[in-house]
């Protein structure tokens, strides 16, 4: 495995490739994004036709755009889609007109408090058109007529999403979900896509206990579509994590599942606390990223959300300032490391049954104490064996043992492995 510093640089390079693409909830930008991700991990791409009923929603028409601009009387492009895909209101209907600035203003979006930044705005489900630009650009536009052009199409097509599956020893699944619909926003969410991609690559080199399903889908409508198409098999999903905003320099933040005490909630909190990383734990709210779809009451899956700074928690959120300089290789590597540590705990967390529960079994004659010789944590390992034996009643998991004993989870899991091999406990 490459050092985390190298992996961080590789993930940042992937974000650089993905960043310029114009994405939306449908269209060729999503396909181009998945094509690039598909160079790193094999993907199964799904195309869902316009008009398909998905739960309470309907797959919308497909949106594609080729060019857009506002030009002044000299023909100079004052606002140019070619410079940044943020310049066009997402899902804008086509327009070709000349109009005075006074009329055009109704279709312009700026950030007066951040005059040099361009906002990200969309109008997915209401026919509209518009441009996003820096307030200082608008301030420099004199009154007069402007040529307005948006070369886009809204037509029947498809919603596109993709999956990557890492087979496990059991059919029970862990889902990792990230959204692929935001244009020219590096942290929200190309950093999440990059971390998910490299996490999938690492898991594929192992033989995990669970089957891991990675979902790359447009926000909201994509997750809803996946749930609608997988409703009959969703009971296989035992744990899940939504990855977003994975590359900024803020501390890690975990948002609990709707359940609040799902195993993934406990595992992430344990890993963050044990690592002594600065972090924050937030309770579930029905607003945010796609965890709210997976945690809707009809499904109520054990799915939490891992970010660094949460959505809307940093000034650069949904603006042109969420650029390649805003995300760092070190932050992405740290997010990946937490995911790796959490899934290592999740994958080894079992409930065992003590096969010699009457009194303490003699460990010495089974060679278990001898097996610990030379370890720097011999006393810890001995205590871990005693704790595992005492709490292996079919009700307590290894995470329960680690939390109650105050011992590292890896030490507890190693002790359980030795006891299992010695025939003293069973699953």
């Amino acid at each position: 495995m490459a050092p985390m510093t190298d992996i961080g640089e590789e993930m940042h390079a992937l974000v650089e490739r993905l960043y310029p693409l114009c994405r939306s909830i449908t269209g060729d930008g999503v396909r181009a994004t998945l094509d690039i991700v598909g160079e790193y991990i094999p993907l199964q791409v799904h195309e869902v036709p316009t008009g398909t009923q998905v739960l309470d929603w309907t797959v919308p028409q497909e949106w594609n755009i080729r060019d857009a601009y506002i030009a002044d009387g000299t023909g100079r492009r004052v606002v140019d889609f070619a410079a940044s895909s943020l310049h066009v209101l997402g899902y804008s209907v086509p327009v070709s007109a000349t109009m005075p600035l006074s009329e055009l203003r109704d279709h312009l979006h700026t950030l007066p408090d951040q005059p040099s930044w361009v906002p990200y705005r969309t109008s997915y489900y209401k026919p509209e058109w518009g441009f996003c630009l820096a307030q200082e650009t608008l301030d420099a536009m004199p009154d007069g007529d402007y040529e307005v052009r948006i070369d886009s199409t809204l037509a029947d097509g498809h919603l596109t999403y993709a999956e990557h599956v890492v087979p496990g020893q059991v059919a029970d699944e862990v889902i990792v979900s990230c959204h692929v619909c935001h244009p020219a926003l590096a942290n929200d969410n190309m950093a999440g896509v990059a971390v998910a991609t490299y996490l999938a690559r690492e898991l594929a080199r192992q033989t995990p206990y669970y089957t891991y399903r990675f979902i790359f889908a447009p926000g909201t409508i994509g997750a809803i579509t996946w749930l609608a198409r997988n409703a009959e098999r969703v009971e296989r999903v035992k744990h899940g994590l939504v990855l977003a905003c994975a590359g900024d320099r803020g501390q890690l933040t975990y948002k609990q599942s709707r359940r609040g005490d799902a195993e993934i909630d406990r595992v992430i909190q344990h890993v963050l606390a044990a690592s002594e990383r600065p972090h924050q734990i937030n309770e579930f709210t029905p607003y945010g990223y796609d965890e709210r779809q997976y945690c809707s009451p009809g499904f109520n899956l054990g799915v939490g959300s891992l970010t660094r700074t949460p959505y809307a928690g940093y000034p650069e959120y949904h603006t042109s300032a969420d650029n390649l300089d805003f995300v760092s290789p070190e932050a992405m590597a740290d997010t990946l490391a937490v995911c790796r540590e959490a899934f290592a705990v999740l994958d080894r967390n079992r409930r065992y049954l003590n096969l010699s529960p009457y009194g303490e079994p003699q460990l010495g004659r089974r060679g278990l104490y001898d097996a610990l010789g030379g370890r720097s944590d011999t006393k810890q390992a001995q205590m871990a064996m005693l704790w595992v034996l005492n709490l292996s009643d079919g009700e307590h998991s290894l995470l329960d043992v680690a939390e109650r004993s105050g011992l590292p989870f890896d030490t507890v899991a190693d002790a359980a492995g030795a006891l299992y091999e010695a025939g003293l406990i069973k699953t």
Side-chain angles (χ1 to χ4, degrees), residues 2-3 6 13 43 71 89 108 115 134 140 150 155-156 173 184 197 204 218 230 268 283 286 353 370 374 384 422:
D6 292 346
L43 293 177
L89 177 77
L108 302 181
I150 297 178
D156 287 353
E173 292 187 359
T197 300
N230 292 273
I268 295 286
E283 292 184 355
L353 188 66
D370 293 340

Side-chain angles (χ1 to χ4, degrees), residues 308-319:
R308 301 197 72 85
T309 307
Y311 61 89
Y314 51 97
E316 297 85 355
Y317 178 76
H318 279 194
T319 77

Side-chain angles (χ1 to χ4, degrees), residues 24-221:
S24 190
I25 56 173
T26 62
D28 292 334
V30 174
R31 296 185 185 96
T33 298
L34 297 177
D35 283 346
I36 291 174
V37 173
E39 296 175 20
Y40 294 75
I41 54 175
L43 293 177
Q44 181 180 8
V45 178
H46 304 271
E47 298 277 6
V48 185
T50 296
T52 302
Q53 188 72 25
V54 286
L55 305 181
D56 193 48
W57 296 59
T58 304
V59 173
Q61 288 189 311
E62 183 175 324
W63 183 68
N64 286 293
I65 183 168
R66 287 157 292 280
D67 193 16
Y69 60 86
I70 301 172
D72 63 18
T74 68
R76 181 179 67 91
R77 294 190 176 192
V78 180
V79 178
D80 192 353
F81 169 77
S84 171
S85 54
L86 293 181
H87 277 310
V88 173
L89 177 77
Y91 253 64
S92 281
V93 298
V95 61
S96 181
T98 299
M99 63 185 67
L101 181 60
S102 58
E103 182 181 344
L104 178 58
R105 281 182 182 275
D106 291 339
H107 298 273
L108 302 181
H109 305 270
T110 66
L111 295 168
D113 293 339
Q114 299 287 354
S116 64
W117 296 355
V118 177
Y120 165 56
R121 298 288 185 267
T122 64
S123 183
Y124 295 140
Y125 301 106
K126 178 184 176 183
E128 184 59 271
W129 65 268
F131 289 86
C132 301
L133 64 160
Q135 180 65 45
E136 59 189 21
T137 300
L138 177 57
D139 292 342
M141 293 171 62
D143 289 334
D145 288 344
Y146 288 84
E147 181 189 359
V148 179
R149 170 78 167 160
I150 297 178
D151 182 12
S152 65
T153 54
L154 268 169
D156 287 353
H158 297 82
L159 177 145
T160 310
Y161 72 92
E163 296 176 285
H164 171 81
V165 177
V166 180
Q169 299 170 39
V170 297
D172 290 346
E173 292 187 359
V174 180
I175 60 171
V176 179
S177 180
C178 56
H179 58 275
V180 294
C181 51
H182 287 179
L185 300 177
N187 196 41
D188 182 21
N189 189 34
M190 291 305 101
V193 171
V195 169
T197 300
Y198 273 77
L199 180 60
R201 291 179 69 174
E202 289 195 11
L203 287 169
R205 290 192 284 265
Q206 305 168 19
T207 307
Y209 177 74
Y210 289 108
T211 293
Y212 286 82
R213 183 177 300 274
F214 289 79
I215 303 168
F216 300 88
T220 305
I221 186 66

